[in-house]
Amino acid sequence: MRHDPMLVILADLLCRVDGLAGERGHVSVARLRDEIDQIRHIARAFHLDTVECLASTLQSALSLQGAGPVVMSYLDLMRDALAAEMPEADVIPMPMAARPMAGPGSHLTA
């Protein structure tokens, strides 16, 4: 079975962006800069101009302001730009935590 190399690159970048977003504030600014730089380099190599531009702008923002709420906004924008490059069936939305429906009189059955 052959895989489209561009889809592999897009999936890797998406995984990187989602990984940073999932760490939400639990990553050092130095590591965040390194990860964003890697994303920028890969995006440049594969002509993903929007992602490269967003990563570059985020790097500048990190240099001026450090890590803050702006990081999540840029990661969301990068995720959207990557998703726009992928066929719709390949984009999996970020999982949301499910809440069990439990109330008075509800019973769990096996």
Side-chain angles (χ1 to χ4, degrees):
M1 183 168 141
R2 296 182 60 105
H3 295 283
D4 181 356
M6 191 60 177
L7 285 179
V8 173
I9 296 301
L10 291 168
D12 174 62
L13 287 171
L14 199 57
C15 188
R16 289 171 185 262
V17 168
D18 285 346
L20 288 174
E23 292 185 20
R24 295 188 185 143
H26 298 290
V27 61
S28 69
V29 174
R31 181 164 167 252
L32 185 59
R33 283 185 188 133
D34 287 343
E35 295 287 336
I36 296 298
D37 193 47
Q38 289 177 15
I39 290 169
R40 185 180 60 79
H41 280 292
I42 294 168
R44 174 180 281 171
F46 291 94
H47 307 288
L48 299 167
D49 299 333
T50 303
V51 177
E52 179 190 358
C53 183
L54 288 167
S56 180
T57 305
L58 178 54
Q59 282 182 307
S60 297
L62 287 170
S63 295
L64 296 173
Q65 304 170 7
V70 71
V71 172
M72 290 303 292
S73 296
Y74 275 96
L75 293 175
D76 285 342
L77 290 170
M78 280 191 270
R79 186 178 208 295
D80 291 345
L82 289 165
E85 297 285 335
M86 298 178 83
E88 281 208 31
D90 292 337
V91 179
I92 300 169
M94 289 287 291
M96 301 297 289
R99 295 184 190 187
M101 298 286 293
S106 63
H107 300 283
L108 297 176
T109 58

